Amino acid sequence: MMRMGVDLGGTKIEIVALAEDGTEIFRKRIPTPKNYPGTIEAIVSLVADAESATKQTGSVGVGIPGVVSPFTGLVKNSNSTWINGHPLDKDLSEVLHREVRVANDANCFAVSEAVDGAAAGKRLVFGGIIGTGCGAGISINGTVHAGGNGIAGEWGHNPLPWMTPDEFNSTTCFCGNRDCIETFISGTGFIRDFRAAGGDATSGIQISEMMQQGDPLATAAFKRFIDRLARSLAHVINMMDPDIIVLGGGVSNIDAIYTELPSLLPKYVVGRECETQVVKNQFGASSGVRGAAWLWGKDEK
């Protein structure tokens, strides 16, 4: 069975076709139309291109920067705003004459890494994405756990745990709340904190490179960052105790994260013991589109 995954982003739509064993057999990317009818047409054309090139038909899964409401069946919370308020899965299913599954792109990331990535073989996977923002997906037995409200994994919009006096009430978030995890440990938050202390950088990777070169401001900023990340992940471990945590997004490429976290997590995890693996993703920017394909599981035909 061929599985096709579509990653619907704000600037591009990408499709990948996977063979039964997960081998990539087709990939194509096109610009994203900024309207709903054009988006539907673009996805349909990509599916047709994949099936024409491979001379196979297959299942279709779509990852989106938002969720399909379990109550209304309509897309919500997408920064590709033109798909909000539409039944994307139903409309695509009707045009493509097959069931199409749609899931949040962070959940697709978690599924991709759980099926054949850095968390392959693990039952309960927490996939945290730390980039411009901060989100997460949850996979159980290689399938999406979306939750009753469709928002499972919205880790970044809880308050930073165990805030210090200087952290409390110090940031605002686009979601309307203050002191969200996202505002501290996203790449944007990391840079904000560094600049507030007098540093100058344009990315978390740059700050980490400056730290390696001995820059004292960068070293202090990373120390604050890694402690905040440890607190935030300990909160996840205390609540759901995943078998493994996989990190994605640009900030996940800071290698020092994986050497420093193991000694910090037990400080915040209940019982002061923690052996939870925190690892870098295997498929990088391809995790989302591959995970969309794996919305149709290995046992489904």
Side-chain angles (χ1 to χ4, degrees), residues 129-133 187 203-205 247-254 257-258 281:
I129 301 178
I130 310 174
T132 304
S203 72
I205 293 292
L247 298 182
V251 177
S252 72
N253 293 314
I254 299 175
I257 288 174
Y258 308 99
N281 64 85

Side-chain angles (χ1 to χ4, degrees), residues 179-246:
D179 301 331
C180 286
I181 287 170
E182 176 170 303
T183 65
F184 289 98
I185 69 166
S186 65
T188 306
F190 190 12
I191 295 165
R192 174 195 59 77
D193 178 74
F194 182 53
R195 288 177 173 172
D200 183 24
T202 57
S203 72
I205 293 292
Q206 185 181 359
I207 298 171
S208 71
E209 291 172 347
M210 293 169 69
M211 175 185 68
Q212 292 169 1
Q213 295 165 3
D215 183 280
L217 286 178
T219 300
F222 181 77
K223 184 176 180 180
R224 291 189 297 273
F225 167 81
I226 198 68
D227 185 72
R228 290 164 176 165
L229 179 59
R231 283 183 262 161
S232 301
L233 290 177
H235 215 211
V236 171
I237 294 167
N238 285 341
M239 288 188 292
M240 59 182 289
D241 204 6
D243 296 313
I244 192 169
I245 294 170
V246 184

Side-chain angles (χ1 to χ4, degrees), residues 4-8 13-15 33 35-48 51 58-64 68 73-75 82-83 86-103 292 295-296:
M4 289 172 283
V6 177
D7 182 16
L8 170 55
I13 304 176
E14 185 173 30
I15 191 168
N35 62 83
Y36 187 69
T39 297
I40 294 289
E41 183 179 340
I43 294 173
V44 170
S45 71
L46 285 172
V47 170
E51 293 187 330
S59 59
V60 180
V62 181
I64 63 171
V68 176
L74 307 178
V75 175
W82 54 91
I83 66 173
H86 294 281
L88 181 65
D89 53 348
K90 292 183 174 59
D91 287 343
L92 285 172
S93 297
E94 182 176 346
V95 179
L96 290 170
H97 308 293
R98 75 198 81 174
E99 180 187 352
V100 175
R101 294 179 180 174
V102 175
L295 291 176
W296 293 86

